[in-house]
Amino acid sequence: CPPETLKTACDSMVQLNAIGWQAAQAVGGVHAITDITGFGLCGHAFEMADGSKVTIVIDVNALPLLPGAELLTKYRTRASKTNREYVQAHVKLEGQIDPVREEFLWDAQTSGGLLISVEAAKAEALVEEARKRGASRAMIVGEVQAQQNYALAFRG
């Protein structure tokens, strides 16, 4: 693994989620916020959607992956399998999802970022504020919709 890739990964892992939380406080309009850790993006997004009685739609191609992360998906974990099984009945996969990127939906992050649901009109401002504070990978990855017969939709 190239040294710059390791440095980027380490820099990301030591960055505290306080940056995103503080940015969210500054911008306002936040409906829900969760740290993406043991249950992966799928598990945490499912709990947000299910608890709020909405459907969350995520663009898999918009997920901010660290450089070189795709190479690590060949090392599947048991947690990824159980995370997928946990939400599978509540997920709709739409379009052509790259199977390598799809693995990151179920991956049991141990140092994940924040998933923040914010008023649509404040989403861009939140990304800008988070980046100003040092969260270089902050971005909009999806949207909240009225509840459908599934809690999550992942689009490719």
Side-chain angles (χ1 to χ4, degrees), residues 1 13 25 38 49 75 79 85 90 100 120 124 130 135 138 141:
C1 196
M13 288 185 276
Q25 273 193 315
Y75 305 104
E85 290 169 352
H90 309 282
V100 172
E124 290 288 343
V141 297

Side-chain angles (χ1 to χ4, degrees), residues 49 68 74-75 82 90 115:
K74 64 183 174 182
Y75 305 104
T82 57
H90 309 282
L115 177 62

Side-chain angles (χ1 to χ4, degrees), residues 61-81:
N61 296 319
L63 297 177
L65 303 183
L66 293 173
E70 292 96 337
L71 301 173
L72 300 175
T73 60
K74 64 183 174 182
Y75 305 104
R76 305 273 164 90
T77 67
R78 181 177 177 172
S80 291
K81 179 181 181 285

Side-chain angles (χ1 to χ4, degrees), residues 29-34 48 52 115-118:
V30 172
H31 297 285
I33 186 169
T34 185
M48 284 175 76
S52 300
L115 177 62
I116 303 172
S117 174
V118 63

Side-chain angles (χ1 to χ4, degrees), residues 24-105:
Q25 273 193 315
V27 171
V30 172
H31 297 285
I33 186 169
T34 185
D35 178 77
I36 308 293
T37 52
F39 296 109
L41 177 60
C42 68
H44 289 280
F46 168 68
E47 289 182 350
M48 284 175 76
D50 189 52
S52 300
K53 306 291 186 236
V54 297
T55 292
I56 296 176
V57 180
I58 295 176
D59 177 357
V60 177
N61 296 319
L63 297 177
L65 303 183
L66 293 173
E70 292 96 337
L71 301 173
L72 300 175
T73 60
K74 64 183 174 182
Y75 305 104
R76 305 273 164 90
T77 67
R78 181 177 177 172
S80 291
K81 179 181 181 285
T82 57
N83 285 345
R84 183 182 194 130
E85 290 169 352
Y86 172 63
V87 300
Q88 199 162 8
H90 309 282
V91 171
K92 180 179 178 184
L93 300 177
E94 299 176 345
Q96 298 293 326
I97 298 176
D98 177 349
V100 172
R101 289 188 71 83
E102 182 182 342
E103 181 59 23
F104 291 99
L105 302 175

